[in-house]
Amino acid sequence: MAHFLEDIKAGIERDPATKTSFELFFTSPGLHAIWNHRIAHFIWRIKLRTLSRVFANVAKLITGIEIHPGATIGRRFVIDHGVGVVIGETAIIGDDVMMYHGVTLGGVVNQAVKRHPTIGNNVVLGANAIILGDITIGDGAKVGAGAIVVKDLPAGKVAVSPTATVL
């Protein structure tokens, strides 16, 4: 229950357009996707894989956000707007991450290995950013809108432009 309350508080703190917990609860597809993922992930961990994927697919139809039930997501994760977000099976997302619409945490190999990114704590992922492969985005890093990242991004750094120039 504590995670659910933290999710609401984080959503209110990071979304200036949402004024109340009531409004966030009833209107945020990002919040609904995260909560559905927490349930699907629990089902995944108890080895009911098909059921967890069915649950995740229903959530995707409702929210427009696709989170594989195998993905590991930390606390106070906020998805703002959210439509078009895709988070792959082996992705790991730290605490206090802010993700905007259209972000992809995707894989580049077709094997049963760690093939999706690891996102550190306090990271911001801009709209339509694409982060591919088993790479790490360090704590406090920022990935700009539309950036394509295929190499590790050190803590505190910023990646911008379609070629992901590190600043």
Side-chain angles (χ1 to χ4, degrees), residues 54-110:
V54 168
F55 193 88
N57 277 324
V58 170
K60 176 179 66 173
L61 291 172
I62 294 167
T63 64
I65 298 168
E66 181 172 353
I67 306 174
H68 192 286
T72 302
I73 296 178
R75 299 171 80 157
R76 298 172 301 278
F77 176 49
V78 174
I79 303 173
D80 193 14
H81 299 289
V83 171
V85 164
V86 176
I87 300 173
E89 175 187 8
T90 62
I92 299 170
I93 299 172
D95 296 335
D96 302 301
V97 170
M98 181 73 179
M99 178 182 284
Y100 290 91
H101 64 278
V103 170
T104 297
L105 303 182
V108 294
V109 297
N110 191 17

Side-chain angles (χ1 to χ4, degrees), residues 4 14 19 34 44 50 52 57 75 84 90 106 122 128 133 145 150:
F4 291 96
R14 295 192 214 142
K19 306 300 182 205
I34 293 162
W44 180 266
T50 301
S52 68
N57 277 324
R75 299 171 80 157
T90 62
N122 300 301
N128 298 309
V150 295

Side-chain angles (χ1 to χ4, degrees), residues 5-88:
L5 295 175
E6 282 183 344
D7 291 335
I8 288 176
K9 184 176 180 192
I12 291 294
E13 288 173 353
R14 295 192 214 142
D15 183 359
T18 303
K19 306 300 182 205
T20 67
S21 298
F22 180 83
E23 180 182 357
L24 184 74
F25 180 84
F26 284 105
T27 66
S28 174
L31 180 66
H32 299 152
I34 293 162
W35 284 355
N36 279 293
H37 171 73
R38 294 194 194 291
I39 296 165
H41 187 67
F42 171 78
I43 298 168
W44 180 266
R45 286 194 344 252
I46 62 171
K47 307 287 188 223
L48 297 173
R49 302 290 167 94
T50 301
L51 180 61
S52 68
R53 294 196 67 192
V54 168
F55 193 88
N57 277 324
V58 170
K60 176 179 66 173
L61 291 172
I62 294 167
T63 64
I65 298 168
E66 181 172 353
I67 306 174
H68 192 286
T72 302
I73 296 178
R75 299 171 80 157
R76 298 172 301 278
F77 176 49
V78 174
I79 303 173
D80 193 14
H81 299 289
V83 171
V85 164
V86 176
I87 300 173

